[in-house]
Amino acid sequence: MNPSHHVDFYDVGYRFIRQHWGQGFATEAARASVDYGFEVLQAPVLYAIADIQNEASRAVLAKVGMRHMGVFDHEGVRTAWLEAKRPPLDKG
């Protein structure tokens, strides 16, 4: 997996200091970012990266619909590459 061919893409991300971990803020921020990306920006696809060892962050990204697509080396760190495609419009 080498995401280097991706340019000008929307990247879902968040960072919190340790005292705010485990309180649902990351999920809330990621969900708001995904919703904004698809509903307001009308992006066809969104991406995210996370240190492969950061299981909590990868779980948050999976919870908001991001799919693990592969692993690559980012500045010497094994990093997960994730994506989410905009869901089809509901015609009902």
Side-chain angles (χ1 to χ4, degrees):
M1 173 72 228
N2 182 356
S4 63
H5 67 279
H6 289 83
V7 294
D8 299 329
F9 59 88
Y10 293 105
D11 179 24
V12 175
Y14 46 84
R15 290 189 183 190
F16 296 96
I17 57 176
R18 187 175 298 270
Q19 73 186 55
H20 298 293
W21 290 5
Q23 298 179 45
F25 297 134
T27 302
E28 188 176 332
R31 185 167 286 124
S33 295
V34 168
D35 290 348
Y36 186 85
F38 289 144
E39 295 171 15
V40 177
L41 300 176
Q42 296 293 303
V45 63
L46 302 171
Y47 297 99
I49 65 171
D51 182 322
I52 198 68
Q53 294 181 350
N54 190 339
E55 293 178 19
S57 191
R58 290 188 298 119
V60 165
L61 293 166
K63 194 182 302 186
V64 300
M66 306 293 293
R67 287 187 19 227
H68 179 90
M69 301 304 290
V71 177
F72 69 104
D73 179 80
H74 179 66
E75 300 176 358
V77 176
R78 289 185 41 82
T79 303
W81 178 255
L82 302 97
E83 78 170 23
K85 293 185 178 176
R86 184 169 36 157
L89 296 174
D90 183 16
K91 298 183 183 197

